[in-house]
Amino acid sequence: MRHYIMDLRRSLRAGRGSRVYNYTQREMAKNALKKFLSCDTIDMMYNTGYYHDSDENIDRDIADMKNAAAIRRVIGHLRAMEYAMQHIDDVITYEQIQHIHDLIYNGTPMYINRVTIAPFEHEPYEDITGALREVTALHSAIILSGGDALTAGIVSYWHCLNNYTAPFYVHAENRDTYEKYLKTSNNDLERFFRIEQDRYRRETEGML
């Protein structure tokens, strides 16, 4: 596991030059947002680098489109993940979570209780005991204090890497299970996230 995490962190830092980075960007966005926009369209937006275009050009391009909000959401998701991967070792603070939310939602304010986030604002450290437990607790804190699953999902992926444990994302076919466990307990959610961790590792290990 240790070698996998270190290789993954190194590969993700390489950005679009990395196979696992490209895979993760596309698959996270598709699994989170394909109910709003087709997988082919999401792939096109990533592969062409359209999300790097200026906001002015994008707003002009999509002004008359019925799915403009969905396109904006995908662009925001890709930008937020890119930011997180460029800051793997940064302390995850209330301000950082707020910035992820701003990127996803194009500046829409985030209403999350700062006190809820405060216990998680610490320097990253290696070999944390119960790393996934802490990731799960922060994920729940973001959701329960007014955040949303897109913001919590990207922060959780980043938080895992930040604390040297395997990251994950929620696969679309498991979303109902995820939403059910959000309403039960963090123990249930942690067990679910561990299953998603194992699946993501199987999907990506051969790319490193």
Side-chain angles (χ1 to χ4, degrees):
M1 175 68 84
R2 174 72 175 178
H3 291 302
Y4 168 73
I5 298 299
M6 299 308 293
D7 288 347
L8 180 63
R9 285 166 56 91
R10 186 162 46 248
S11 188
L12 289 168
R13 284 196 179 99
R16 289 176 66 95
S18 157
R19 184 181 169 198
V20 72
Y21 176 89
N22 293 328
Y23 173 86
T24 300
Q25 273 279 38
R26 287 192 297 263
E27 293 304 311
M28 277 191 74
K30 286 188 287 189
N31 277 277
L33 294 161
K34 65 182 180 182
K35 64 180 178 180
F36 303 111
L37 211 58
S38 74
C39 290
D40 287 345
T41 301
I42 294 172
D43 278 339
M44 179 277 293
M45 291 169 65
Y46 179 74
N47 293 337
T48 62
Y50 181 66
Y51 65 101
H52 284 144
D53 207 347
S54 70
D55 287 329
E56 182 181 2
N57 287 344
I58 291 169
D59 287 341
R60 185 178 61 248
D61 289 346
I62 68 176
D64 298 323
M65 294 184 181
K66 291 181 179 179
N67 58 356
I71 291 171
R72 260 293 176 196
R73 195 68 44 82
V74 171
I75 288 169
H77 194 280
L78 294 171
R79 288 176 174 178
M81 265 299 288
E82 182 174 77
Y83 176 85
M85 295 307 93
Q86 291 170 345
H87 297 83
I88 286 175
D89 290 320
D90 287 8
V91 174
I92 298 177
T93 62
Y94 177 84
E95 287 77 17
Q96 291 280 38
I97 296 170
Q98 199 169 39
H99 186 59
I100 291 295
H101 185 277
D102 287 348
L103 287 169
I104 295 172
Y105 294 101
N106 198 30
T108 301
M110 179 187 75
Y111 302 101
I112 295 179
N113 187 341
R114 184 170 197 138
V115 174
T116 307
I117 305 303
F120 304 97
E121 295 181 303
H122 57 69
E123 291 288 338
Y125 44 91
E126 298 184 32
D127 300 322
I128 178 176
T129 301
L132 187 58
R133 186 169 301 115
E134 176 166 294
V135 170
T136 303
L138 176 56
H139 188 103
S140 293
I142 292 171
I143 298 287
L144 296 176
S145 64
D148 73 297
L150 292 182
T151 302
I154 290 178
V155 170
S156 293
Y157 187 96
W158 180 10
H159 198 193
C160 285
L161 292 168
N162 199 259
N163 286 302
Y164 293 83
T165 192
F168 64 89
Y169 59 82
V170 176
H171 291 79
E173 64 271 23
N174 296 332
R175 188 150 300 275
D176 287 347
T177 303
Y178 161 72
E179 291 175 356
K180 179 180 74 173
Y181 288 151
L182 275 176
K183 299 172 184 175
T184 56
S185 72
N186 278 2
N187 288 337
D188 291 335
L189 194 59
E190 181 184 345
R191 284 192 291 271
F192 170 73
F193 284 161
R194 195 170 300 282
I195 293 169
E196 293 287 42
Q197 271 186 325
D198 291 342
R199 179 172 173 180
Y200 178 76
R201 180 179 179 180
R202 291 195 303 271
E203 291 170 347
T204 58
E205 204 159 18
M207 301 178 191
L208 303 176

